[in-house]
Amino acid sequence: MARLLGQWHALPGRRRSPDYAALAAAIRGLLADGRLPLGARLPAERELAEALRISRTTVTAAYRELRDSGHLASRRGAGSWTMLPGNHRMAGNGLWTPLDDRDMLDLGVAALAAPPELLPAAQAAAEDLPRYLGGAGYHPTGISELREAVARTYSDRGLPTSPEQIMVTNGTQHALDLVLRLTHNPGGSVLVEAPSYPNALAALHARRARIATHGLAPDEPGWDADLLLGNLRQGRPKLAYLIPDFQNPTGHLMSAELRERLVATAHAVGADLVIDESFVDLSLDGTVMPPPTASFDRHSRVVTVGGMSKAYWGGLRIGWIRASAPQVQRLAAARVGVDMASPVLDQLVAVHLLAQSPTIVAARRAQLTAQRDVLLGALADRLPEWRVTVPHGGVTLWAELDGPISSALARAAEQAGVRLAPGPRFGLDGTLERFLRLPFTLPVADLVEAVDRIAAIRYDLDRVGRPGWSEPAVIA
């Protein structure tokens, strides 16, 4: 807690506030940013006073102010827990896709348009299809040639993998849903990062998971190793869902050392790790990738999900699960009651695209690097008050705004033809209002135009009436 609070006594306005008020404001800030989870038990007053080297009276007064403002609930003899005023909660589901609007600059979806290689791949796949037409077409684990191609991608990254360890799914989200069906019991505890991928949070809500969070710092390295591993040891969740490769939405990349410690700790506490590698192919600036998290696994504790939505095309609904061969067979048995199998034709298209992956991925990286730099330049020029850590991979920026205005800005931007993904979509209970995810997947001209519109809206936001509510859009 002391490390999270940092230089709390040096906050703006500190000299005009007594110590207890500054401490209370710092704790409220941690809650609003998602660094401090809701429902977390705070240290006892004496313990925090000793850690911060201040008087216990100051901590007592700060806790009292937090209780008065609705940010803390206490029970004599049991401790104090964090909360938000009114017990407000933001649902993690209910996202839906609106009708396409060609005039809308959509910064809610972090995905690229299809590569030029897609159409030839589809034509080649159609020519391959006749050799599958003599069978029923149901392949619950996927067609053999695609499983072999995916297994090769892992082996090429230094993680020996057999086709029997691969199950093909209808996208990464489908892969996560199947893993949760097999490994998660309703009401079980799950540890996730904050912020995290909204659709993963929605899947966990649908499975009635008790979600605990590990708050990521906006700046590198993002994860606090001691806090993350401490959360695993103390909370002992049955499952942890993490995005170590260019985390969505922050873009952070987890170090090899932390990956190794993470796997060892998960094994020690009996937790399974679900590792999302959706962005693993999209390293920028020549960033050297750490070994896959599963390469440190010796006890079948790590299940990896990935797919083709980000590096290739979201419309090609091909994902996969890498696990032990027995786990793949259990997943296939669970899948039969859901959707039977993935389309054979789509899998054949994926085979041809993966055969050209060096060319396709290199072009994607060059494209994303150029678009990222343009977006960074536009933000520095038009919105210099915003803080952005430059990601060295992935497709998104995680911008820290100049105030807790993310949702209000998104509502106003919709009226100006820009669709945004506000910070609270990536967390729980209405936190992260000072953050905004900005993907750099649109063409350069569209990114510059979007920032121009956002800047105009930001400068008018404090002077206009409350914008009308609009229905939510899908965040991907």
Side-chain angles (χ1 to χ4, degrees):
M1 186 67 185
R3 187 162 61 249
L4 283 173
L5 285 167
Q7 301 298 317
W8 62 273
H9 46 75
L11 292 173
R14 162 69 184 86
R15 294 180 180 177
R16 299 189 298 273
S17 302
D19 286 347
Y20 76 87
L23 179 58
I27 294 174
R28 277 194 295 267
L30 290 174
L31 280 168
D33 292 349
R35 298 288 309 282
L36 184 62
L38 297 178
R41 184 175 178 176
L42 291 189
E45 295 170 2
R46 185 186 302 277
E47 292 174 350
L48 186 58
E50 292 176 354
L52 296 177
R53 299 181 180 180
I54 58 177
S55 72
R56 180 177 178 180
T57 303
T58 299
V59 178
T60 300
Y63 279 17
R64 182 171 59 247
E65 179 165 311
L66 290 169
R67 284 191 291 271
D68 292 343
S69 65
H71 292 85
L72 201 64
S74 300
R75 191 167 66 248
R76 184 178 296 276
S80 300
W81 289 266
T82 55
M83 58 184 289
L84 285 184
N87 287 318
H88 172 68
R89 292 189 63 86
M90 172 168 286
N93 52 19
L95 305 183
W96 62 285
T97 306
L99 296 175
D100 288 338
D101 184 346
R102 296 184 181 278
D103 295 327
M104 181 70 67
L105 297 175
D106 194 348
L107 293 179
V109 176
L112 293 160
E117 292 86 352
L118 181 63
L119 185 56
Q123 293 168 339
E127 295 176 0
D128 292 341
L129 185 61
R131 51 193 168 90
Y132 283 90
L133 299 181
Y138 297 126
H139 303 270
T141 57
I143 62 173
S144 59
E145 51 193 304
L146 179 54
R147 297 172 74 193
E148 291 168 1
V150 174
R152 269 196 304 275
T153 67
Y154 285 102
S155 298
D156 291 344
R157 292 169 55 202
L159 177 60
T161 302
S162 68
E164 290 74 26
Q165 292 178 267
I166 301 297
M167 177 179 181
V168 178
T169 64
N170 298 321
T172 308
Q173 185 71 17
H174 180 225
L176 174 60
D177 181 74
L178 289 174
V179 171
L180 292 178
R181 288 174 182 270
L182 183 68
T183 62
H184 176 71
N185 294 319
S189 59
V190 179
L191 177 67
V192 302
E193 298 141 333
S196 188
Y197 179 46
N199 292 340
L201 297 177
L204 291 168
H205 279 296
R207 299 294 298 172
R208 292 182 288 160
R210 291 188 295 108
I211 301 177
T213 58
H214 166 67
L216 297 181
D219 303 323
E220 295 288 356
W223 296 269
D224 184 308
D226 292 338
L227 288 176
L228 174 58
L229 302 181
N231 285 339
L232 279 172
R233 295 189 189 99
Q234 296 172 22
R236 304 185 75 87
K238 297 298 183 184
L239 194 71
Y241 168 79
L242 303 171
I243 312 173
D245 299 289
F246 309 119
Q247 199 264 352
N248 184 7
T250 64
H252 294 321
L253 180 64
M254 185 181 288
S255 68
E257 178 189 5
L258 181 52
R259 293 173 192 234
E260 185 173 11
R261 295 176 64 192
L262 175 66
V263 174
T265 303
H267 172 61
V269 303
D272 292 319
L273 298 178
V274 180
I275 301 299
D276 189 335
E277 291 190 340
S278 295
F279 300 92
V280 72
D281 292 326
L282 299 178
S283 63
L284 309 178
D285 305 326
T287 299
V288 178
M289 295 298 295
T293 305
S295 64
F296 301 106
D297 183 27
R298 301 293 182 270
H299 306 280
S300 297
R301 285 289 180 190
V302 177
V303 176
T304 305
V305 298
M308 305 189 70
S309 295
K310 303 305 180 183
Y312 298 87
W313 188 45
L316 184 66
R317 303 308 302 148
I318 293 294
W320 49 78
I321 302 168
R322 184 202 179 274
S324 68
Q327 286 175 311
V328 167
Q329 290 305 309
R330 290 196 293 272
L331 285 163
R335 178 183 191 168
V336 169
V338 180
D339 71 338
M340 301 294 286
S342 298
V344 172
L345 183 58
D346 289 19
Q347 294 183 70
L348 290 170
V349 174
V351 170
H352 285 279
L353 288 175
L354 288 176
Q356 303 175 72
S357 62
T359 301
I360 296 173
V361 171
R364 292 304 213 188
R365 290 171 176 170
Q367 175 188 357
L368 287 169
T369 300
Q371 291 172 185
R372 179 202 60 183
D373 293 346
V374 166
L375 180 56
L376 286 168
L379 289 171
D381 181 51
R382 297 301 311 276
L383 292 160
E385 303 86 1
W386 292 10
R387 293 180 58 228
V388 181
T389 300
V390 180
H392 297 292
V395 299
T396 62
L397 304 180
W398 185 237
E400 184 175 356
L401 312 184
D402 55 331
I405 58 169
S406 185
S407 294
L409 184 65
R411 290 193 295 270
E414 189 89 14
Q415 307 303 315
V418 181
R419 182 169 293 130
L420 297 175
R425 286 285 181 86
F426 301 87
L428 302 174
D429 306 288
T431 59
L432 303 171
E433 275 289 3
R434 291 197 304 115
F435 294 91
L436 185 69
R437 190 190 74 172
L438 295 170
F440 40 92
T441 50
L442 293 181
V444 165
D446 288 346
L447 291 173
V448 174
E449 175 63 22
V451 173
D452 286 343
R453 296 185 193 181
I454 294 169
I457 294 162
R458 174 63 192 101
Y459 295 135
D460 291 339
L461 194 60
D462 296 331
R463 298 191 295 273
V464 300
R466 185 175 184 176
W469 293 91
S470 59
E471 286 136 334
V474 67
I475 304 296

